[in-house]
Amino acid sequence: MKELLKNPIILLLILGCGVIYLLLAFLAVGRNQKLGALAEKLIAGLFLFMMPGFTIPPFSTFVPNALAHPQKSLPSIIVQLALYGAVLFVLSPRLKYTLKYYFDLLALLLQNNPGICLFLFIILLSFSPSDTPIHTLKYSGVLLLTTVVYIYIIKQYSYQEISTMLRWGLAATALLSTFYSKFKPAIGINKVKNSWQGIINHPNPLAALMALSAILWGLEAVENPKNRWLSIGMVLYSLFVLQMTKSGGGKIQFLIGATIILSIRFLKQLPFQWSLFFVVVFLILSISGFIIITNNLEAIVVDALGKDLTLTGRTPIWTYLFAEKIPKRPWFGYGFHGFWQPWRGADNPAANHISGELRMPSGSGYWTPPHSHNGFVEIILDFGLIGFTIFALSFITASVQAIQYLTRPRQRESVLESVLPVLLLIFVIFPNLTERPLVENNHNWYYYIFISVGIAIKISGRNFRAEPKSKKLPSR
């Protein structure tokens, strides 16, 4: 195959066919509004589906963050940008209409949640304190551009439609993870835990995704009786994959999310102040219990939730970072992706060893954490206490608005419409207590954008969705 591609005639023929199909798709989207809407929804769903960070090609190759990777070759960058450009070209007949009101939405967001707008500005400027400003600028640029896409998606689609995209994307994740865990164990099985990790790089993130999948399919089973058996089957299948990850944290997240959903009727009967009080207290107790269980009570984790020893050992990392690294750059941090840089050797800001690694004691040896295992600590490392304070303002604003939206009297929205922001909030908070960074090009970040921007739209009562105008046929 590679030899064929080296032949310039064959390569030109392939490129010519590609251009022809691209033009045909462009014309089809321009002439058929339903086809254009369907194409956009499928592309948006695929985009959200691949963002959790899959380890298998082609997703690992074409995910946006790959553009900023230090080892990304120029030809690979050109191919990836060409693919993105082709998608925008095909959708351009539709986008020239649907981008209407985009800047109006940004103005509304600046008014309703100025914290997130300011935090995005902090991300843009984070190259300034970084020791590797070009490296930081590439990652921050990619993150901000994908955030523009996330804002567009939540502008165009309701929470009900977002839920549908997430459900089917998570179903595909479960199926692919099952395949790789059963038939390609070198990829799908985590060697340390001897459990499923599927197409994700660790069992715990897969467990969190399956917990959310089970809840979303459960809500679908309640609200859509026509497909109830399919939804129930997907609930059971998601829980099966969750069990195979052997992740106690994932099971706790499922129980917390399910508890919130079962409490909706009770919360709606209360005044907003009391609803806010009960939800905040519940989250505080849940967070405390989550940290205690996953870090200290090994007996509970082993006996009741399944062995999950990889969740221990986080506290020493946090203690070391706050004692040794954060005080060196307390206000503005090390810049986005400016702290964990093992490829720099001894110049790695995270290093405490001449090898360029951060070595933490573990038994008679040591281990090298790839990150702090806490999304909120990562924000302090990257953006300093000032950046964290601004993010906290944004986060608290979005959380209060999400609870307010959940507890307001039912109007035309379904239960899923009202509960999804709080549900996503749970799956932003808990995985980031012990796992991957929040401010990163992954599903945690677009959950947060969907909460912040979607709630601003809902509270305003305005419709920012735009569609192409129907073309009237000339009268005969």
Side-chain angles (χ1 to χ4, degrees):
M1 185 65 182
K2 290 183 179 179
E3 294 298 325
L4 286 174
L5 291 176
K6 290 180 180 179
N7 187 318
I9 298 177
I10 299 296
L11 187 59
L12 285 174
L13 286 173
I14 294 173
L15 290 175
C17 290
V19 170
I20 291 172
Y21 280 113
L22 199 64
L23 290 172
L24 290 174
F26 171 82
L27 293 173
V29 168
R31 292 177 178 178
N32 190 323
Q33 293 181 20
K34 290 184 178 180
L35 180 61
L38 177 61
E40 182 186 83
K41 185 174 287 189
L42 290 175
I43 291 171
L46 178 62
F47 187 68
L48 299 181
F49 160 70
M50 70 179 187
M51 290 310 294
F54 297 150
T55 56
I56 60 172
F59 305 111
S60 57
T61 304
F62 292 108
V63 73
N65 240 22
L67 286 170
H69 198 280
Q71 298 178 350
K72 185 81 168 179
S73 65
L74 181 60
S76 182
I77 291 175
I78 293 173
V79 170
Q80 188 170 353
L81 291 176
L83 177 63
Y84 291 169
V87 171
L88 290 175
F89 175 73
V90 170
L91 294 179
S92 59
R94 176 176 172 82
L95 291 175
K96 68 180 181 180
Y97 295 102
T98 57
L99 285 173
K100 188 179 180 181
Y101 309 129
Y102 192 94
F103 290 104
D104 293 337
L105 174 56
L106 295 181
L108 174 72
L109 190 61
L110 183 61
Q111 178 182 353
N112 282 20
N113 192 341
I116 191 170
C117 298
L118 193 54
F119 185 69
L120 292 174
F121 188 64
I122 291 287
I123 294 174
L124 177 63
L125 297 181
S126 67
F127 70 91
S128 180
S130 175
D131 292 338
T132 52
I134 300 299
H135 176 77
T136 294
L137 193 59
K138 287 196 296 184
Y139 272 100
S140 59
V142 171
L143 178 66
L144 292 172
L145 288 174
T146 51
T147 301
V148 169
V149 178
Y150 299 149
I151 293 174
Y152 174 81
I153 291 174
I154 193 61
K155 179 186 92 71
Q156 284 297 112
Y157 300 102
S158 67
Y159 279 133
Q160 186 78 39
E161 292 170 307
I162 294 291
S163 173
T164 301
M165 294 181 194
L166 293 178
R167 275 201 322 273
W168 287 107
L170 292 169
T173 301
L175 289 169
L176 286 171
S177 294
T178 301
F179 174 80
Y180 276 87
S181 298
K182 296 292 288 184
F183 301 107
K184 295 191 175 183
I187 296 174
I189 299 294
N190 183 273
K191 296 178 181 179
V192 176
K193 296 179 63 177
N194 192 29
S195 63
W196 285 18
Q197 65 182 18
I199 57 175
I200 312 294
N201 60 4
H202 195 274
N204 292 334
L206 177 61
L209 290 171
M210 292 301 100
L212 178 60
S213 175
I215 293 173
L216 291 179
W217 281 106
L219 285 169
E220 175 68 7
V222 173
E223 297 201 339
N224 189 357
K226 292 182 179 179
N227 298 320
R228 180 163 293 168
W229 289 111
L230 171 64
S231 300
I232 292 174
M234 288 307 305
V235 170
L236 297 176
Y237 185 48
S238 299
L239 292 175
F240 165 73
V241 178
L242 171 58
Q243 175 64 25
M244 296 304 291
T245 64
K246 300 181 181 178
S247 170
K251 296 170 187 175
I252 294 172
Q253 291 170 59
F254 171 74
L255 292 176
I256 292 171
T259 301
I260 284 288
I261 290 173
L262 293 174
S263 305
I264 291 176
R265 181 173 295 181
F266 166 71
L267 293 172
K268 283 185 175 291
Q269 293 175 349
L270 300 175
F272 167 67
Q273 292 82 355
W274 281 105
S275 298
L276 178 63
F277 172 78
F278 277 111
V279 172
V280 169
V281 170
F282 173 75
L283 288 177
I284 291 173
L285 294 176
S286 299
I287 291 170
S288 302
F290 183 84
I291 294 175
I292 291 172
I293 290 174
T294 56
N295 285 283
N296 299 306
L297 300 184
E298 183 176 310
I300 292 178
V301 175
V302 172
D303 296 337
L305 298 173
K307 190 175 181 182
D308 196 1
L309 302 182
T310 58
L311 285 171
T312 60
R314 269 62 169 174
T315 306
I317 304 174
W318 304 336
T319 302
Y320 173 79
L321 292 174
F322 274 101
E324 299 293 335
K325 297 298 183 179
I326 291 175
K328 293 181 179 179
R329 298 190 183 182
W331 303 116
F332 298 102
Y334 292 82
F336 189 46
H337 277 252
F339 183 72
W340 303 95
Q341 298 182 337
W343 45 273
R344 292 179 62 195
D347 293 328
N348 177 16
N352 63 356
H353 189 267
I354 193 171
S355 65
E357 298 175 332
L358 172 59
R359 295 185 174 183
M360 299 301 300
S362 177
S364 58
Y366 66 89
W367 70 297
T368 56
H371 49 74
S372 67
H373 289 277
N374 186 291
F376 303 103
V377 174
E378 286 292 320
I379 294 174
I380 298 176
L381 288 169
D382 284 353
F383 308 107
L385 293 173
I386 291 177
F388 178 78
T389 301
I390 294 171
F391 174 81
L393 173 65
S394 161
F395 190 84
I396 292 171
T397 301
S399 301
V400 171
Q401 290 176 347
I403 296 170
Q404 183 181 13
Y405 179 62
L406 170 68
T407 57
R408 73 177 185 173
R410 179 84 65 85
Q411 297 179 3
R412 295 181 178 180
E413 292 93 350
S414 62
V415 172
L416 194 148
E417 279 274 343
S418 60
V419 77
L420 188 62
V422 172
L423 187 60
L424 292 180
L425 184 68
I426 290 170
F427 284 90
V428 166
I429 294 174
F430 286 92
N432 281 281
L433 295 176
T434 55
E435 286 303 322
R436 56 177 55 190
L438 191 162
V439 183
E440 186 57 87
N441 252 329
N442 58 34
H443 54 293
N444 288 325
W445 181 245
Y446 74 66
Y447 290 171
Y448 184 60
I449 294 298
F450 287 170
I451 297 166
S452 303
V453 181
I455 285 297
I457 294 173
K458 292 292 185 181
I459 290 177
S460 72
R462 297 168 61 184
N463 181 19
F464 290 90
R465 184 170 185 163
E467 294 289 342
K469 295 180 180 179
S470 300
K471 296 180 181 180
K472 295 182 179 180
L473 294 174
S475 57
R476 296 183 180 179

